[in-house]
Amino acid sequence: MTSAAMPADAGRRAAAPAAARPPRSVSISGAPYDGHPVPHMLESLARIGATHVEPAFIVGYTEPFDESSFTEARAVEYARWLAEAGIQCHAMSSHIDLGRPDALTVFAGRMAFAARIGARVINTNAAARANEARFHQNIQQLARLAEDLGLLIGLENPGDGSDNLLNIAADGPGLIARINHPHVGLNYDAGNTISHRPGVDTVADALAAMPLCVHTHIKDVRRTPQGYFFTGLGEGEIGCDRIVQALATLPAALNLSIEIPMRLHRGPDAQPSRSAWRVPLADIEARLGAALDFVHQHLAAGEAAGTPPVSQLPETSR
């Protein structure tokens, strides 16, 4: 396997002046396009001015799939669709429990697919606490594979209320220190925290997680007696404006994805419930176009507000 490893100190160098910061990619998760063919999704993203997609292969969030979705032939096909639409891929989500018995085989195949379509980050859950020992065995091998493939593994906090190795930001430092590999970090999602640990301050937790993030998701949620409903950005309770503005102050660009699973909501027990019907493209485009405007507006506001003290800035932003 040809190595495309990043330097061990990647993302840990001194902060660049604001004018010299690398460009930040703003991706859009494929989750709202659940049920639509991939070429139609990419054409739709191009229409609203998006530049990057985050393909979403998440059980319960999207149509059923199996490992045949991640063959070399499928990767070549997906890469062709991306090129034809003029859309890039920086990150891919493909959540599994990395402590399950088949995790090495399953996730290695998905990592190879992600790298083949151009991704630099692959996001996944860590593991249920009951699978902790096997997770730490597996993640060492997967981290070495990530280095070979030129990928970063982003461990994401879940939203289903279970007991995970990464429930909130405070779990991150010990987890990442024990893994101790520069190709593994966090993909924090404050929109998951509200249902996973309802008493946690989502903005404060997101800011606390940033020093360990290799990528982040932005989504908004409204809580009701019927459960948790994904809204347009700025229309829920997460505080997305403050989180995005904080991202803009980082010394190196932390890339982000807008994730609005419009076909899904969570019940009062935090379990996902998926509608029987896909969302019309016009509705998706209206929601995502507004979300792109929201993100760029608040990135600009954060940049104008200036940079926080160095002690508050992440060492692992990439």
Side-chain angles (χ1 to χ4, degrees):
M1 182 179 298
T2 302
S3 174
M6 295 175 61
D9 64 344
R12 299 178 189 273
R13 301 182 180 91
R21 289 175 184 163
R24 174 184 287 102
S25 71
V26 177
S27 302
I28 293 183
S29 167
Y33 289 95
D34 178 19
H36 292 277
V38 171
H40 295 182
M41 171 184 73
L42 298 176
E43 292 166 4
S44 171
L45 290 174
R47 280 196 295 272
I48 64 171
T51 58
H52 293 73
V53 66
E54 181 181 7
F57 295 94
I58 307 171
V59 173
Y61 262 53
T62 56
E63 290 188 321
F65 60 90
D66 58 26
E67 299 319 300
S68 66
S69 300
F70 304 102
T71 64
E72 173 68 13
R74 290 289 183 89
V76 170
E77 179 180 57
Y78 207 114
R80 187 183 75 249
W81 289 335
L82 287 166
E84 289 172 352
I87 299 292
Q88 300 178 63
C89 176
H90 175 79
M92 181 176 110
S93 281
S94 194
H95 297 357
I96 69 167
D97 183 317
L98 293 181
R100 71 190 217 189
D102 63 348
L104 281 177
T105 300
V106 168
F107 202 64
R110 298 183 186 193
M111 290 170 67
F113 179 95
R116 181 65 181 80
I117 67 172
R120 299 298 305 277
V121 177
I122 182 166
N123 295 317
T124 178
N125 294 129
R129 195 166 300 278
N131 295 334
E132 181 174 11
R134 191 183 292 116
F135 166 83
H136 282 289
Q137 294 170 3
N138 290 343
I139 195 63
Q140 293 303 320
Q141 295 184 59
L142 293 171
R144 290 193 290 273
L145 177 59
E147 189 169 3
D148 287 341
L149 293 172
L151 286 173
L152 299 168
I153 298 174
L155 301 177
E156 183 171 337
N157 51 307
D160 62 0
S162 61
D163 189 18
N164 197 271
L165 296 180
L166 182 64
N167 291 314
I168 59 174
D171 297 323
L175 180 65
I176 297 302
R178 182 171 173 183
I179 296 168
N180 192 30
H181 197 287
H183 286 255
V184 182
L186 303 185
N187 177 62
Y188 186 83
D189 189 331
N192 289 343
T193 304
I194 192 173
S195 56
H196 191 67
R197 293 294 182 267
V200 172
D201 182 319
T202 52
V203 173
D205 212 52
L207 300 187
M210 281 185 193
L212 295 173
C213 283
V214 298
H215 191 261
T216 191
H217 280 166
I218 301 296
K219 66 169 173 271
D220 218 339
V221 183
R222 183 180 71 252
R223 179 171 24 194
T224 77
Q226 290 74 44
Y228 301 87
F229 293 84
F230 301 106
T231 71
L233 298 187
E235 298 174 11
E237 305 173 31
I238 300 302
C240 292
D241 54 346
R242 288 177 285 165
I243 294 171
V244 174
Q245 288 175 29
L247 291 176
T249 67
L250 302 183
L254 178 60
N255 296 305
L256 63 98
S257 290
I258 297 166
E259 186 183 53
I260 308 177
M262 295 173 65
R263 192 172 174 176
L264 191 79
H265 77 280
R266 292 186 182 275
D269 60 356
Q271 298 308 302
S273 178
R274 182 170 165 265
S275 170
W277 307 104
R278 67 185 188 181
V279 180
L281 283 176
D283 294 348
I284 296 171
E285 290 176 11
R287 177 70 58 86
L288 294 181
L292 276 173
D293 290 344
F294 177 97
V295 165
H296 288 300
Q297 173 191 344
H298 288 288
L299 285 173
E303 289 167 358
T307 304
V310 172
S311 63
Q312 298 177 20
L313 295 173
E315 296 181 353
T316 56
S317 302
R318 299 173 170 87

